[in-house]
Amino acid sequence: MKQHLIAPSALAADFTRLADELEMVDSSEADWLHLDIMDGRFVPNISFGVPVIKAIRPLTGKPFDVHLMIVEPEKYFSTFQQAGADLLTVHLEVSNHLHRSVQAIHDLGMRAGVSLNPHTPVHLLEEILPEVDLVLLMAVNPGFGGQSFIQNTLSKITRLRRMIDELGTETLIEVDGGVNTDNAPAILKAGADVLVAGSSIFKHTDPRGVIHTMKSVNVDTIKT
Ligand code: DX5
Ligand code: ZN
């Protein structure tokens, strides 16, 4: 069985007890910590920034998966690298020079991801796909946690899976927004490698249990 990854999204954490939330993630089966950076321009919301990432970096050994929902992200690549990012994802919709951005992220020693909004077709990735480590498919319109999963994402995952398999690369498909224990099996069956989940993990009374349930899905036994 191909082992998928779980990335809890800190956006849904209780910020009054962030250290406890990080301890929970650290002692769970989560693979990465997903960190949503919003600028109030690319998305209609502002989240947290570099000082928060720096502050929490020593609290967990899990890799930091930083999702930049900001315009002109290239201005901040080295700042996020210094703050502790392991993987940096930029949106295709803000990048006129995506190839250059991916190169710059790699030159700083990080893994590079490209994200697509729900309306952006996967075929736009055709030329950049060989260069990227991860494609993040938004399953909600970015900007807020707690929204419902857009069902069309499933067929996008399938189409992207086919493109990656044809290329024969190790590019990961990450799915972000509205992911929970009910829809995780279908998302994985469609071909996702990484599940991002905020509300369904942090708002639950047993967040470690939710992570365990998501991690334990056996894709080979899911009926279609
Ligand atoms: C939304 C963010 C997501 C968000 C997911 O713009 O990119 O990472 O935290 O939250 P849930 O899982 O609550 O939909
Ligand atoms: Zn995100």
Side-chain angles (χ1 to χ4, degrees), residues 9 11 34 36 38 67 69 138 142-146 176-178 196-199:
S9 172
L11 189 65
H34 186 82
D36 289 308
M38 305 178 183
H67 178 191
M69 284 162 276
M138 285 307 306
F144 303 92
D176 184 7
V196 176
S199 313

